[in-house]
Amino acid sequence: MREYDFSFHAFIQGIILIGFALLMLWFVLSGNIVYYIAPKMMPFVYFGLVTFFILGIVQVFRSTKKNDSSGAACTCGHDHRIPGPPIVKLLIYSIFILPVLMGFVLPDRALDSSVASNRGMIYGSGNSPSADAAQEAGRQTEAAETAEEEQSTADEYLEDPEGYMESLEADTSGTGEAPSPDEMDEHFTVEDFYDQEGFDQYYVELAEKLKHEDVITVTEDNYLDIMTVMDVHLDEFIGKDIEMIGFAFREPDFDDHQLVAARFSMTCCTADAGVYGTLIESSHAKEIEEDTWIHVYGTIKEGEYNGYRLPVITDADLNEVEEPDSPYVYPSFRF
Amino acid sequence: MKPHQVRAFGKDLIGMGLLLLFLILFLFSDRLSSTQYIQDLPGAWVNVNTLFLSIVIEAVPFILLGVFVSAMIQIYVSEETIQRYLPKNAIGALFPAAVLGAIFPLCECAIVPVVARLVKKGMPLHVGVVFLVAAPILNPIVFASTFFAFGSNWTHPVLLSRMGLAFILSIIIGFVLYMLFKNTRQLRAQAQSLTDHAHNHEHNHTHSSGGKPTFMTRIKETVYHAVDEFFLMGKYLILGALIAAMFQTFLDRSLLQTIGANEYSSTLVMMGFAYLLSLCSEADAFVAASFPQFSAGSLIAFLVYGPMLDLKNTFMLFAYFRVKFVIAFMITVTITVFLSILFVNRFVLPNWYMWF
């Protein structure tokens, strides 16, 4: 067997660890971390960054100790050699170097509409499922029940806020994932109603407040809240003006004048991102290219997509805008 | 210079070159990624990159946490201590073993050699099995990562079912294997002489230096252990993240919907993924959360089955235990997890809201 050069491997490992630290530092310094990680996870990123630097430096120092033969200074006898012939070792280290290289070389960009179409758009607050979810719902035995429930969610809430909230809590779809078959009758996402007690106060108050505003302005901070309120209290908002920002997205079955202003909602990282969209009707919708960011100003009316009732922004003015600083929206956690 | 000096110099050069490369990338990343060639990359690959880095950056702090705790336990807690607290009655030991497994945050690759060592030292085989399947799931770090991955919700069905099933199933699996093997010796002959074999991951806590190690030595050992363990398991996470990122970008949604819609096939598919991806239990929740097309039940299957049994720990099991035992173990785990998920799908998830 070839001699295992502990010193060399400790050196390489130390440098790879420093590489990880540098990558994370770069993301934090450039602000590009917003494309990858939700703000509330940042403490973990800082922990990782600092730990990688420390481990990397320790590891480089470890490598300078010559002839640590017996398998490291770690006297527990636990053997952690990188196994295999040199080619395998090279491959294993390449795996670790890969994310560092990709992180530095490839552009940092937010997810776009191709992922959106893969994930399936969630219209409104997720109250109305996407086409696929609707099809799936159709396969369920409680399909009829589901449809009925769809139409009466608001009523149901007004009649029995307590029970309604409990059923919302049952939803598994933290990030807009398709709920399990038995839960298809619940399309709200957990974060929309994260704080059970806060629901009636918070959303009813918000609805009340929004009703008295001339124009509803949707921002990054209130995006998911307003989507929820509009879904639950749609009747009260018909005829009101609204403005919002989103990236352009089209379902394959859209007409020329139809468009979606979409936002990704991220809970922790992009892997869990769900796509929220608001249906737009505008005569110049066809001039907008997919994935361009648009500012939308229009009037809310009641619409329908795939058999579900949802708010539609009609006669919309569409203006191309720059991508916002925070391309994603985040569920508001009120711990 | 003598040949070995040349080689040493060459190795130093490789390391320095790598460091230099990282520093250059760090300083010029902006300029690099704005070059025309990079900008012209197909959007789908940029999405893969975004998803991949996102999963890695997200999971890595949790991996580090897990690796640290695991390293500390390996250095500060001896097998004798664990043994002392186990009842002598075979069946009676199952429950406390699961509880004990719960407070030992060792992931599925770290636990295999520990269990092999414990069994060698005289711990009953089935108690070791309980450890083997309970410890990688039932621990604070996995709880925390699952909690964060699934919307920071204490009552999330995936979080609670994962923990509950891990506890119950570990006892059931331990019991089944006790019925099959009783207290027969199932360690491979090779495992009897662990110390001689370089590729075995052996744990020997009788510190060779003899005297009591100082505090600083222990800190150093913990850090070394943590780094080694990070390199031992990190590659599985990075590859898993890459596969998951490509999966998310390229896989046709309608295909998944077909698989995901069926209770049986979605559970089996997710168990298959869990096995192949070989994710570390500390980070797999983030990958599970990235499969929005699958039902809660099949995600629970992914999160329960993967830590108990996956490609990488299968290799390790075969290295330590007899083939017959490993196969029986794999079959038992697979069937138990599958049946329990069917049960959860039918009876637990539909009534979830009644409990919370």
Side-chain angles (χ1 to χ4, degrees):
Chain A
M1 207 178 116
R2 285 171 73 104
E3 204 175 303
Y4 189 86
D5 189 343
F6 279 101
S7 163
F8 172 62
H9 286 279
F11 188 42
I12 291 289
Q13 289 177 2
I15 288 179
I16 290 173
L17 291 171
I18 291 171
F20 269 100
L22 283 175
L23 179 69
M24 289 169 103
L25 183 65
W26 155 250
F27 280 150
V28 171
L29 290 180
S30 65
N32 287 349
I33 194 83
V34 298
Y35 294 114
Y36 302 98
I37 305 288
K40 71 166 172 128
M41 301 306 283
M42 286 310 287
F44 293 103
V45 173
Y46 293 129
F47 164 78
L49 202 168
V50 172
T51 312
F52 272 129
F53 262 122
I54 294 171
L55 291 185
I57 290 163
V58 167
Q59 194 73 353
V60 169
F61 271 109
R62 183 185 180 181
S63 77
T64 58
K65 277 197 219 111
K66 294 291 170 200
N67 301 325
D68 252 354
S69 55
S70 68
C74 168
T75 48
C76 64
H78 188 103
D79 185 4
H80 279 295
R81 294 165 212 231
I82 303 288
I87 182 77
V88 174
K89 292 190 177 83
L90 183 71
L91 210 67
I92 288 171
Y93 285 126
S94 311
I95 292 172
F96 285 98
I97 297 169
L98 183 73
V100 183
L101 287 186
M102 283 171 76
F104 279 129
V105 175
L106 295 179
D108 303 315
R109 242 183 258 162
L111 295 178
D112 64 20
S113 57
S114 66
V115 174
S117 62
N118 250 349
R119 300 260 165 114
M121 188 67 61
I122 304 155
Y123 290 95
S125 66
N127 191 7
S128 320
S130 66
D132 297 87
Q135 281 166 18
E136 200 182 317
R139 282 197 290 273
Q140 304 303 317
T141 46
E142 307 117 316
E145 207 181 304
T146 306
E148 199 178 83
E149 198 153 332
E150 278 304 323
Q151 283 171 356
S152 60
T153 36
D155 296 343
E156 191 192 328
Y157 168 67
L158 292 172
E159 278 164 28
D160 178 19
E162 204 70 42
Y164 183 61
M165 274 316 301
E166 278 174 5
S167 61
L168 292 173
E169 283 288 303
D171 192 358
T172 60
S173 54
T175 51
E177 66 194 66
S180 79
D182 291 302
E183 292 159 355
M184 274 313 295
D185 51 346
E186 301 298 345
H187 301 293
F188 290 94
T189 56
V190 168
E191 63 261 37
D192 294 330
F193 301 98
Y194 182 72
D195 187 347
Q196 185 170 336
E197 278 168 25
F199 178 80
D200 24 2
Q201 291 136 31
Y202 186 77
Y203 288 100
V204 171
E205 268 169 34
L206 184 65
E208 202 59 37
K209 199 182 117 208
L210 290 173
K211 265 188 289 183
H212 295 296
E213 279 173 23
D214 296 332
V215 180
I216 298 170
T217 310
V218 185
T219 65
E220 268 91 66
D221 299 325
N222 63 17
Y223 183 90
L224 289 171
D225 285 344
I226 291 185
M227 289 304 114
T228 307
V229 170
M230 280 213 308
D231 252 26
V232 181
H233 303 260
L234 176 56
D235 290 332
E236 297 165 37
F237 288 95
I238 289 169
K240 281 204 87 75
D241 282 356
I242 186 169
E243 60 173 336
M244 67 193 310
I245 287 174
F247 66 87
F249 174 82
R250 286 180 183 81
E251 299 274 7
D253 61 347
F254 271 13
D255 288 337
D256 274 356
H257 71 290
Q258 283 178 315
L259 194 68
V260 166
R263 294 303 291 261
F264 275 100
S265 155
M266 179 158 83
T267 310
C268 292
C269 69
T270 56
D272 63 41
V275 215
Y276 287 77
T278 310
L279 209 56
I280 314 281
E281 287 178 359
S282 165
S283 49
H284 42 264
K286 56 177 177 292
E287 297 149 28
I288 306 287
E289 258 188 80
E290 202 115 312
D291 280 326
T292 44
W293 284 85
I294 43 172
H295 175 266
V296 182
Y297 187 103
T299 312
I300 301 169
K301 90 167 187 192
E302 184 188 334
E304 195 200 89
Y305 185 67
N306 285 319
Y308 291 98
R309 182 174 175 261
L310 47 86
V312 175
I313 304 180
T314 50
D315 304 325
D317 266 340
L318 305 177
N319 292 303
E320 284 189 28
V321 288
E322 286 277 302
E323 179 181 307
D325 289 338
S326 145
Y328 305 113
V329 293
Y330 310 97
S332 56
F333 294 97
R334 293 184 294 278
F335 276 104
Chain B
M1 275 198 288
K2 288 171 186 158
H4 75 270
Q5 281 175 320
V6 173
R7 219 167 359 182
F9 181 70
K11 282 176 172 177
D12 281 350
L13 213 61
I14 294 175
M16 295 309 287
L18 196 61
L19 184 63
L20 199 67
L21 175 71
F22 287 159
L23 283 172
I24 289 172
L25 289 173
F26 177 75
L27 292 174
F28 300 105
S29 172
D30 246 349
R31 220 173 298 170
L32 265 172
S33 50
S34 59
T35 55
Q36 200 53 46
Y37 181 70
I38 299 287
Q39 286 295 318
D40 286 348
L41 272 177
W45 285 102
V46 179
N47 286 331
V48 170
N49 176 56
T50 306
L51 286 162
F52 168 61
L53 289 174
S54 188
I55 297 173
V56 171
I57 295 174
E58 174 76 305
V60 141
F62 286 95
I63 291 262
L64 287 177
L65 277 172
V67 148
F68 264 115
V69 177
S70 141
M72 277 194 277
I73 283 196
Q74 294 193 30
I75 285 155
Y76 286 101
V77 183
S78 71
E79 285 86 347
E80 289 82 359
T81 319
I82 300 168
Q83 255 181 307
R84 205 180 309 147
Y85 293 102
L86 282 176
K88 299 287 166 280
N89 179 293
I91 305 296
L94 286 170
F95 186 81
V99 176
L100 211 55
I103 55 171
F104 279 89
L106 291 167
C107 71
E108 69 276 14
C109 27
I111 193 79
V112 179
V114 172
V115 166
R117 170 65 63 179
L118 286 170
V119 172
K120 199 193 167 203
K121 282 188 176 176
M123 174 190 265
L125 182 69
H126 65 283
V127 175
V129 168
V130 176
F131 265 52
L132 207 57
V133 290
I137 304 179
L138 285 173
N139 69 63
I141 292 144
V142 174
F143 187 93
S145 69
T146 315
F147 171 77
F148 281 111
F150 286 89
S152 307
N153 181 356
W154 293 112
T155 61
H156 200 288
V158 172
L159 174 68
L160 297 184
S161 308
R162 180 183 200 189
M163 296 298 147
L165 277 185
F167 190 83
I168 298 163
L169 292 188
S170 68
I171 292 175
I172 295 174
I173 292 165
F175 179 77
V176 171
L177 286 166
Y178 178 71
M179 287 299 146
L180 290 175
F181 292 99
K182 302 288 182 200
N183 279 328
T184 54
R185 294 197 70 85
Q186 294 301 326
L187 286 170
R188 290 173 81 97
Q190 180 199 358
Q192 310 294 324
S193 56
L194 289 169
T195 22
D196 304 334
H197 199 274
H199 288 286
N200 280 322
H201 296 75
E202 70 132 327
H203 286 250
N204 180 5
H205 287 269
T206 50
H207 292 268
S208 48
S209 49
K212 220 178 157 78
T214 63
F215 181 70
M216 271 316 286
T217 328
R218 292 202 153 181
I219 296 267
K220 213 169 65 186
E221 280 173 17
T222 311
V223 169
Y224 286 176
H225 236 299
V227 174
D228 290 339
E229 210 135 344
F230 176 77
F231 277 92
L232 203 68
M233 66 185 61
K235 52 186 180 286
Y236 297 109
L237 168 90
I238 294 171
L239 281 182
L242 188 60
I243 294 168
M246 290 202 262
F247 184 91
Q248 290 203 14
T249 314
F250 296 113
L251 200 82
D252 186 8
R253 164 171 59 140
S254 55
L255 177 68
L256 265 188
Q257 223 88 47
T258 324
I259 305 168
N262 181 297
E263 188 186 350
Y264 302 98
S265 63
S266 69
T267 305
L268 284 175
V269 164
M270 285 313 272
M271 284 167 70
F273 275 137
Y275 185 83
L276 293 174
L277 292 183
S278 294
L279 295 174
C280 196
S281 58
E282 280 126 27
D284 58 358
F286 296 104
V287 178
S290 72
F291 292 113
Q293 296 89 346
F294 283 85
S295 67
S298 52
L299 292 182
I300 298 164
F302 180 85
L303 293 174
V304 172
Y305 188 67
M308 290 182 177
L309 195 63
D310 62 31
L311 200 57
K312 69 175 189 293
N313 85 352
T314 304
F315 282 110
M316 299 177 82
L317 286 170
F318 275 120
Y320 288 110
F321 294 97
R322 292 208 173 120
V323 174
K324 213 173 85 183
F325 170 78
V326 178
I327 290 176
F329 174 76
M330 291 173 73
I331 292 171
T332 311
V333 171
T334 308
I335 292 175
T336 325
V337 171
F338 183 70
L339 292 181
S340 71
I341 293 300
L342 292 190
F343 177 84
V344 165
N345 266 336
R346 287 283 153 77
F347 302 106
V348 181
L349 290 179
N351 304 314
W352 195 260
Y353 64 91
M354 290 186 352
W355 302 351
F356 295 103

